[in-house]
Structures are given as C-alpha cells and as structure tokens.
C-alpha cells in the first residue's frame, strides 16, 4: 500500500513489467509477512463430515502438497511430516515442518480439526522453543509457529497467546469457501475483531 502500487500500475505503460519489479522487491521480513488470516483448503475437495482425524486432514494436504504450498505462499519448502522430536524422556510429533527460504527460518504447522483450545498454543510454543535451541542453525531466524484450527474464539486466542512469542499464530482454515454474501459478512467480522 505504501508503495502506491495500485495507482502506479494504472499509470504505467507496461503494468506487467512493473508487477515483476514490485514482486522482486517485496520480500517478507518477518513471520507476520508470510501468515495469512484465513487459509482456504477448498482444493482438497473434501466434504466436512469426511474429516474425523487430524491425520486425515494432514494426509489430504500432503496428497495435494503443491497446491498447499501455493496456498501458504511464496518461499515455503517442505521439510517433514510428523517430525519426531525428543524433549526430556518423551517423543512429540510436529504435524508439518517447512523451511522458509526467504525468511531463513523454520515454519512449524500444527493442525486441529476442531475449535481452538488454549492448551493447543502451549504445545506449539513448546515446539518453537525446542526448535530455537536444538534445531536452528547459526544464521537462521526465529522459527514461526502456525496453529491451524477449524474455529477460533478471538477473545480466547488473545488471552491464550498473551506474553508468548510474536512468531506464534492461530489461524483459521476453511474446507469450502462460503457463498459471496456469507464470505463478505465473515470478512467484515474479521476486520472488526482485528
């Protein structure tokens, strides 16, 4: 917005060249630059009732990995599924691990098929802290954690994440895009809650 790209493109004699130049210059600088407000998993073509386990959603996403990475955005490189880590005497499993080649950091994704619960964020925060100390290489930036949930209560998210890492995000996903009217109402609601 600050670059006045929209205005410049309408005045440009060659908008395609301008678009390439802007895309080349706009590189993400922080975790907030790569995390969307809502992820649309419509490309999975799954009926909502079909998903009964988080592993079903994970498998469907990996079966359509290319489309999932396109939905995530530019710069994501797939690293692992069900990444096993040992903390103390117990093994834990991170649903999906990516490396963002532009930000130079790991992106840990935890999938939940239900609504957000405050304990979910503690689990992902633990994984982030582990990655900071045990996995990140010299020169890597702080890892980013994305908790993808089917539903979220913004008030609960606010209090559950207060004081936690700024690279920890709780975002909603949708399996099917709603019709235009419902989508507009949803967007207006999201904007009010921000």
């Amino acid at each position: 917005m600050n670059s006045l790209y929209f205005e410049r493109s309408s005045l440009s004699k060659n908008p395609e060249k301008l678009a390439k130049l802007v895309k080349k210059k706009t590189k993400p600088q922080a975790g907030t630059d790569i995390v969307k407000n809502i992820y649309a998993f419509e490309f999975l073509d799954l009926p909502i009732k079909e998903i009964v386990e988080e592993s079903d959603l994970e498998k469907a996403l990996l079966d359509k990995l290319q489309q999932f990475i396109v939905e995530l955005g530019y710069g994501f490189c797939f690293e692992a599924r069900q990444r096993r880590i040992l903390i103390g005497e117990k093994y834990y499993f991170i649903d999906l691990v990516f490396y963002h080649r532009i930000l130079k950091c790991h992106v840990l994704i935890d999938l939940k098929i239900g609504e957000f619960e405050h304990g979910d964020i503690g689990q992902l925060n633990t994984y982030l802290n582990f990655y900071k100390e045990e996995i990140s290489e010299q020169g890597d930036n702080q890892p980013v954690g994305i908790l993808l949930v089917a539903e979220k209560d913004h008030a609960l998210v606010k209090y559950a994440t207060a004081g936690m890492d700024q690279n920890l995000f709780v975002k909603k996903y949708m399996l099917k895009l709603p019709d235009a009217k419902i989508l507009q109402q949803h967007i207006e609601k999201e904007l009010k809650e921000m």
Side-chain angles (χ1 to χ4, degrees), residues 87-106:
I87 300 175
E89 301 292 320
K90 189 171 179 185
Y91 285 104
Y92 296 90
F93 297 88
I94 304 169
D95 291 337
L96 301 169
V97 178
F98 291 85
Y99 190 81
H100 198 278
R101 63 182 188 80
I102 298 168
L103 285 182
K104 300 196 180 332
C105 70
H106 284 94

Side-chain angles (χ1 to χ4, degrees), residues 2 10 13 25 42 95 98 100 113 133 168 194:
N2 292 337
S10 65
K13 290 182 181 180
K25 287 187 176 184
E42 193 170 42
D95 291 337
F98 291 85
H100 198 278
I113 59 169
E133 285 193 32
L168 190 60
M194 292 180 114

Side-chain angles (χ1 to χ4, degrees), residues 24-25 33 67 77 93 125 141 156 159 168 175 189:
K24 196 181 227 182
K25 287 187 176 184
D33 297 337
Q67 290 154 305
C77 301
F93 297 88
N125 191 49
N141 290 312
L156 181 59
Y159 293 117
L168 190 60
L175 294 176
K189 180 183 173 192

Side-chain angles (χ1 to χ4, degrees), residues 11-24:
L11 298 172
S12 177
K13 290 182 181 180
N14 191 343
E16 292 83 17
K17 187 175 181 181
L18 177 64
K20 287 180 184 176
L21 180 66
V22 168
K23 187 174 184 178
K24 196 181 227 182

Side-chain angles (χ1 to χ4, degrees), residues 3-95:
S3 70
L4 300 175
Y5 171 68
F6 180 75
E7 290 82 359
R8 289 179 18 216
S9 66
S10 65
L11 298 172
S12 177
K13 290 182 181 180
N14 191 343
E16 292 83 17
K17 187 175 181 181
L18 177 64
K20 287 180 184 176
L21 180 66
V22 168
K23 187 174 184 178
K24 196 181 227 182
K25 287 187 176 184
T26 55
K27 293 197 177 197
Q29 303 296 312
T32 54
D33 297 337
I34 64 168
V35 180
K36 296 181 177 185
N37 282 332
I38 296 178
Y39 291 87
F41 296 157
E42 193 170 42
F43 59 87
L44 296 176
D45 201 27
L46 293 172
I48 293 171
K49 291 183 179 178
E50 184 177 320
I51 296 182
V52 291
E53 301 284 332
E54 289 164 11
S55 60
D56 295 330
L57 177 58
E58 181 183 309
K59 182 183 180 323
L61 288 171
L62 289 177
D63 287 347
K64 307 258 182 162
L65 185 60
Q66 180 179 354
Q67 290 154 305
F68 180 45
I69 289 176
V70 167
E71 178 62 19
L72 286 174
Y74 183 72
F76 285 86
C77 301
F78 180 68
E79 193 171 288
R81 170 189 190 188
Q82 290 298 309
R83 172 70 155 83
R84 185 173 77 159
I85 59 175
L86 179 64
I87 300 175
E89 301 292 320
K90 189 171 179 185
Y91 285 104
Y92 296 90
F93 297 88
I94 304 169
D95 291 337

Side-chain angles (χ1 to χ4, degrees), residues 111-169:
L111 302 167
K112 301 296 177 190
I113 59 169
E115 64 183 298
F116 171 77
E117 300 206 12
H118 65 279
D120 298 336
I121 204 70
Q123 177 182 352
L124 186 53
N125 191 49
T126 301
Y127 299 160
L128 280 179
N129 288 328
F130 178 84
Y131 257 73
K132 284 178 199 174
E133 285 193 32
E134 304 295 332
I135 305 296
S136 293
E137 298 284 332
Q138 186 175 2
D140 280 353
N141 290 312
Q142 298 290 313
V144 173
I146 304 173
L147 178 64
L148 290 175
V149 297
E151 294 295 328
K152 72 177 192 177
D153 177 327
H154 291 278
L156 181 59
V157 170
K158 175 184 169 183
Y159 293 117
T161 59
M164 286 197 172
D165 195 310
Q166 295 299 309
N167 282 340
L168 190 60
F169 303 92

